Amino acid sequence: MWLAAAGAAQSLGDLQREHALAIIELQPKIDAAIDRGVAWLLDQQQRDGSWFGHAQPFGGGQTALSAYTLMKAGLAPTHPAVRRALAHLTTVQPTKVYAAGSMLMAMAESHDPDHRPQMERIVAELIEWQRGSWGYPLQPGDPGLHGDQDLSITQFALLGLRAAVRSGIKVPSSAFHDALRTVMRYQSRPRPAENHAEKIDVAGFRYHLNSAGPSTGSMTTAGLSALWIAREGVGKLPNELAKATDDSLRWGRAWLDVNYDVNDNPNFKGQRWLYYLYGLERASALLQVAYWGGRPWYLEGARVLLEKQAAIGSWTFAEGESDTCFAILFLQRATAPATGKNERGPRTISSDIPAADVAFKVVGLDDGTPQALWVTRIGAADGTRTFVVDAVDYLVDDHVIATVPGDGQLWTQAANYRSRWQPTTRGKFRVSVNVRARRAGADGKPVGDVVTCAAPVVEVAMREVLEDWMLSQAVWKPRNQLARDQVVAAASSELDKGRAADRAVDGLEGSAWICNKDDPAPRLSLTFDKPVQARTLILTQANGARGWLLQFDLVRRVNVFVNGSKTALVAELGVDELAPTRIDLGKQTRIRRIEIAIVERSGSKTNSGAAGFAEVALEK
């Protein structure tokens, strides 16, 4: 079929070479697009390590998908953002299959054995939830009750179970066997392909079990992947089931051959396009298919994604965070990487101006790991001035962080005076080098007094540093004494319905109570059904992610009133907008009511006056 589509003008081998060369030529742009997408995704991470997308219906799902995507894009499991995300997931008990499957994928990708007990619990839940395939729980937290089965959920369950198996966790083969038989029931009846040169039968897959609805591209890729994973999980199949599986795969592949498109989701126009593209990548990798309908799916898909990427780095359509993840996973060929970067290399920042007598480099990853520092030149660039080195001082923000003694010899490139700098906070840093040396005479011996030669300063931005508060904040929920269903929140004003008072106690850093811009005395009050024992009040600013900073005013100072007291506890909030502010109440207190009055706010250029809190928490 492919050769017929390719035509007689070029041989199969010639076209394959042409497409391979086109991908190689496009690869730098693909890598740059992945980098921009990763940067955008990192900017959306909340202060507790989570991502906000689908946070209410699929707790943990988007966070797991984001962490999985970042690791597939080359970030190490030790990267601060990944560590924070995985730490956050340890506090999540998934109640939906999407979240459960995604969490298994992320934890497996981290290769951290500490996650195994939680993974085993999630696997047991998925097995309990299975009814041949999988559906939505009718009641959150009740694994025994499920609604309509659907193929989208089922593929995520199988992806999660496959990840668990690859991590050494035992999954009953019966789970894969039941899934295999059930997934085939999502397939439409085979029929002859229309408007096709060859006489072939095609059969796509549908969303609901035994549905009369249309077959779509996203569900057909899901069906093909689910069949492949389930067959892999069962192992050797009885002859009858093996033939039925082969037939189902053949009909599904033929349907996708006929209906293939990278510009839209076939038979589901304008909906779930990027979800379909990630499904196309996954099915193609599992089935080892390089061409659909005689066309190179990866090359064509990559070209479209490069064209559609927003200037800010995202692919923001119906669902920004998940859509961006799907685009990155496609470009990275996450299921079976064949091209592109598997690891993110270090960046190099150089200070090398010919007029200066010192040049140096800063080399390292923006992930909180040590940065290598070394001198690349001491003396005039044209060789007219040479020096004998007494010592090399490395400075960060005008403070000496390391001194490397000289060797009393004429400087050569072999003497690079290497050192290291360990960033401990996020921010932009001024890095420089001072070399204490004496001029070298014609014989290479030092002459004259010691002089200081300074290298031009370079700015090094460290965005991804694991600060002291971060891992603690990622696992804060179990320490919080507030239960959402046991507190009544009220406020002096609300910016809109989506910024209501109860958003400050919903357990989500991505939502917030925000007052009206013209509220002269913003106040949030919390009244508890039962008294709460606590000693520490925790406040987090409304802007919960790096990409959201200064969207609203920062709260600078508050007055806190406990149990109706007329005496205020005055507290200044920290200068770091992302870090939580901890307010000591003085002693363990039995709290029935707490009021927080905002007395100073500023900073936003777009919503001046609007301020509030993402979360208010109490700890013992």
Side-chain angles (χ1 to χ4, degrees), residues 127-139:
I127 300 303
E128 178 65 25
W129 295 347
Q130 186 180 15
R131 300 294 182 268
S133 55
W134 284 263
Y136 287 100
L138 294 178
Q139 299 293 330

Side-chain angles (χ1 to χ4, degrees), residues 75-290:
L75 270 62
T78 55
H79 186 281
V82 179
R83 285 188 64 186
R84 293 165 60 205
L86 292 171
H88 175 82
L89 290 174
T90 64
T91 70
V92 175
Q93 178 68 26
T95 60
K96 300 287 175 64
V97 175
Y98 278 123
S102 297
M103 287 175 65
L104 287 174
M105 293 165 67
M107 290 177 175
E109 191 64 26
S110 75
H111 303 291
D112 184 348
D114 288 347
H115 293 302
R116 185 182 179 102
Q118 187 176 11
M119 293 177 69
E120 289 175 339
R121 290 193 296 271
I122 294 173
V123 166
E125 288 179 333
L126 282 175
I127 300 303
E128 178 65 25
W129 295 347
Q130 186 180 15
R131 300 294 182 268
S133 55
W134 284 263
Y136 287 100
L138 294 178
Q139 299 293 330
D142 185 352
L145 298 174
H146 273 65
D148 291 340
Q149 310 288 288
D150 77 60
L151 186 53
S152 179
I153 289 175
T154 296
Q155 78 163 331
F156 268 85
L158 288 168
L159 286 166
L161 293 178
R162 181 176 188 246
V165 169
R166 292 162 74 91
S167 296
I169 295 173
K170 186 175 181 180
V171 176
S173 61
S174 59
F176 292 110
H177 181 275
D178 292 349
L180 181 62
R181 287 192 175 278
T182 307
V183 166
M184 285 187 273
R185 293 166 55 197
Y186 285 89
Q187 195 166 26
S188 60
R189 293 194 178 196
R191 57 177 177 75
E194 298 177 3
N195 303 318
H196 199 272
E198 299 182 27
K199 293 183 178 179
I200 56 171
D201 287 337
V202 301
F205 287 79
R206 297 172 292 208
Y207 179 62
H208 279 122
L209 189 61
N210 298 322
S211 168
S215 299
T216 66
S218 52
M219 289 302 96
T220 298
T221 60
L224 290 171
S225 296
L227 285 175
W228 192 96
I229 293 169
R231 183 175 66 178
E232 177 191 59
V234 174
K236 183 172 177 58
L237 298 176
N239 291 339
E240 179 184 352
L241 184 56
K243 181 181 183 306
T245 304
D246 289 341
D247 288 343
S248 184
L249 285 168
R250 184 177 70 255
W251 296 329
R253 289 181 60 159
W255 188 96
L256 200 53
D257 256 324
V258 172
N259 293 278
Y260 161 82
D261 189 359
V262 294
N263 293 289
D264 211 337
N265 184 356
N267 272 7
F268 206 41
K269 298 298 183 183
Q271 300 185 66
R272 301 291 188 266
W273 170 57
L274 286 167
Y275 174 66
Y276 155 68
L277 277 191
Y278 174 42
L280 183 69
E281 181 277 332
R282 184 170 53 248
S284 301
L286 293 175
L287 299 173
Q288 298 183 320
V289 174

